[in-house]
Amino acid sequence: MTAAVPSSPHRRIVSFFPFLLVSLLFIGASRLIIENCRSRSLQRCRQFTGSVSDEESRDWRRVSKLLDDGRLIQQCNVFDGEWVQDGESRPLYEEEDCPYLTKQVTCQRNGRPDSLYQNWRWEPHQCKLPRFNALNLLEILRNRRMMFIGDSIQRTQWESMVCLLQSVIPEGKKSIHRDPPRKIFRAEEFNASIEFYWAPFIVESNSDHFKKHTVRKRLVKLDAISKNSHHWEGVDVLVFESYVWWMYRPTINATIGSLGDVKEYDVTTAYQLALETWASWLESKINPHRQKVFFMSSSPTHLWSWEWRAGTEGNCFNESYPIQGPYWGTGSSLDMMQIVNESLEDLKINVTFLNITQLSEFRKDGHTSVYTERRGKLLTVEQMSDPNKYADCIHWCLPGVPDTWNEILYAHLLHELYIQTR
């Protein structure tokens, strides 16, 4: 099945909260210089201040480079591009160098024989993504909190972000803390936290326990969010995602009002009502001057190989290359994406929609397949020999595709910084 993905809602990018630039203006005299001269050239700065030291000049050049990086995606659809093989700059980190990865995503450690899936770089057609810089992002997050909210797909994006950042933090200055349903990575010297919050439906459900979540008998409280949302209040950067858990069946059991009044809803109707509850919370609790909100589009699945290779009966198992040419799988719902688009357009505050679905659709090779765990245990040799039954074509290996999602998130944060300084 081939379909056109909805156009990227790049228009929803708005100026970031004012404190963001301040977090990038470094210590000492250079901070004052840059504060006064961020819209001037270095020569004009010298005229203004009388002189600029070599250290201050280096800091100025660093901030100028950040602003240039933020300008890279100006008037460019970063979601329209192609995957390019790049064994020099990819992967962005090594699996064995990140101690915070869970067994679910460590495909190499779990026996995957190939590693080419780690060596693909996303290249937009009309611009370049800025190279991910962990120290710059940590400066942005200094004294702040970033939280990823959603299901196991979102947890993988959080793990990716932790791995991207942790390598530049000295031992003893970083830690992981579990406060269910949260997992918190701390960068001590920056007083920054990167957190994950388990909420597969965003609104409340009987699947909200971080371990004992019901998979088949799902019940969603479409008008209830407070038990989850009070953990999100005051967080500086919020990154939401919710899709796969809605797609188990065409209908879902849900309630509005009385918990005893359970009805069967079409998934699209229930999803829309849940996002309305979420939107009401955003409008009542988010301060757009000091907080930034993102919403990730659906992460695609690759459950049936006949969709990209006619006449076959497999899935993502043993795939080593991205799909070439136009492709849209049946696992990605255009109706659900349209509901998100409409919900964000109706909001009174601005939320940036990161439309990673199409670029991820090409990556049939990036899933954990049989090199993962099931119900907390690695697949047995017998299970691995039956990929049609046991291959996981929903979740992603790390390093891998979710690293690109975070590169795009980083690019948007830099773009907000660029807009703020214009």
Side-chain angles (χ1 to χ4, degrees), residues 43 46 53 118 130 140 164 200 237 240 243 305 345 389 419:
Q43 182 178 2
R46 286 196 179 99
S53 70
Q118 299 181 352
I140 290 174
L164 288 166
V237 183
F240 290 93
Y243 176 73
S305 62
E345 288 175 352
K389 182 177 181 180
I419 292 175

Side-chain angles (χ1 to χ4, degrees), residues 278-306:
W278 170 72
S280 296
W281 176 81
L282 288 175
E283 292 177 346
S284 64
K285 297 295 184 180
I286 292 296
N287 181 346
H289 299 295
R290 58 172 300 273
Q291 293 171 280
K292 181 61 186 173
V293 183
F294 295 89
F295 195 99
M296 306 297 299
S297 70
S298 56
S299 171
T301 62
H302 294 90
L303 303 175
W304 303 284
S305 62
W306 55 261

Side-chain angles (χ1 to χ4, degrees), residues 146-415:
M146 171 185 278
M147 182 181 288
F148 293 85
I149 299 158
D151 55 27
S152 55
I153 299 296
Q154 191 73 328
R155 184 176 60 222
T156 301
Q157 187 176 359
W158 170 79
E159 289 187 41
S160 162
M161 181 62 81
V162 169
C163 289
L164 288 166
L165 294 176
Q166 67 89 29
S167 63
V168 301
I169 304 172
E171 291 299 325
K173 300 295 184 180
K174 54 190 173 184
S175 62
I176 287 280
H177 171 64
R178 290 169 175 79
D179 180 23
R182 289 190 302 159
K183 295 179 73 175
I184 305 164
F185 175 79
R186 292 278 305 165
E188 303 297 341
E189 290 185 328
F190 294 87
N191 190 31
S193 67
I194 296 88
E195 308 174 27
F196 167 71
Y197 186 96
W198 172 264
F201 295 99
I202 298 181
V203 293
E204 296 170 23
S205 74
N206 66 344
S207 302
D208 285 345
H209 192 279
F210 71 105
K211 281 189 176 180
K212 300 176 182 177
H213 32 257
T214 300
V215 175
R216 294 184 177 180
K217 298 180 180 179
R218 307 177 186 195
L219 176 62
V220 184
K221 304 173 184 178
L222 299 176
D223 60 344
I225 199 172
S226 60
K227 287 184 180 179
N228 293 332
S229 62
H230 80 275
H231 292 281
W232 314 335
E233 294 182 14
V235 175
D236 303 286
V237 183
L238 292 157
V239 187
F240 290 93
E241 175 271 339
S242 183
Y243 176 73
V244 170
W245 276 67
W246 294 93
M247 305 305 291
Y248 183 64
R249 294 172 53 223
T251 60
I252 192 168
N253 289 327
T255 65
I256 294 179
S258 172
L259 295 181
D261 188 17
V262 179
K263 295 181 180 180
E264 194 173 68
Y265 288 79
D266 289 338
V267 161
T268 51
T269 300
Y271 192 59
Q272 182 174 4
L273 292 171
L275 289 186
E276 288 175 3
T277 299
W278 170 72
S280 296
W281 176 81
L282 288 175
E283 292 177 346
S284 64
K285 297 295 184 180
I286 292 296
N287 181 346
H289 299 295
R290 58 172 300 273
Q291 293 171 280
K292 181 61 186 173
V293 183
F294 295 89
F295 195 99
M296 306 297 299
S297 70
S298 56
S299 171
T301 62
H302 294 90
L303 303 175
W304 303 284
S305 62
W306 55 261
E307 293 190 324
W308 61 83
R309 191 166 52 246
T312 60
E313 297 181 353
N315 50 36
C316 69
F317 173 70
N318 213 25
E319 295 288 350
S320 299
Y321 289 87
I323 296 169
Q324 300 296 320
Y327 174 76
W328 189 262
T330 57
S332 298
S333 170
L334 290 168
D335 290 338
M336 298 287 273
M337 291 185 71
Q338 184 61 32
I339 289 170
V340 175
N341 269 322
E342 292 174 355
S343 298
L344 299 188
E345 288 175 352
D346 292 340
L347 276 170
K348 297 176 183 177
I349 66 170
N350 291 289
V351 174
T352 300
F353 184 42
L354 299 184
N355 190 352
I356 53 85
T357 305
Q358 177 67 91
L359 67 90
S360 304
E361 281 278 8
F362 299 127
R363 293 303 306 276
K364 59 180 171 57
D365 59 308
H367 293 286
T368 55
S369 183
V370 298
Y371 309 106
T372 187
E373 60 181 7
R374 186 183 180 97
R375 297 176 182 174
K377 296 182 180 181
L378 291 176
L379 295 187
T380 65
V381 174
E382 182 180 358
Q383 289 172 327
M384 293 176 71
S385 66
D386 189 4
N388 283 346
K389 182 177 181 180
Y390 289 102
D392 182 345
C393 299
I394 297 174
H395 297 93
W396 303 91
C397 298
L398 290 180
V401 174
D403 301 326
T404 296
W405 304 346
N406 281 324
E407 285 185 286
I408 291 172
L409 174 59
Y410 172 69
H412 277 75
L413 291 172
L414 290 183
H415 185 67

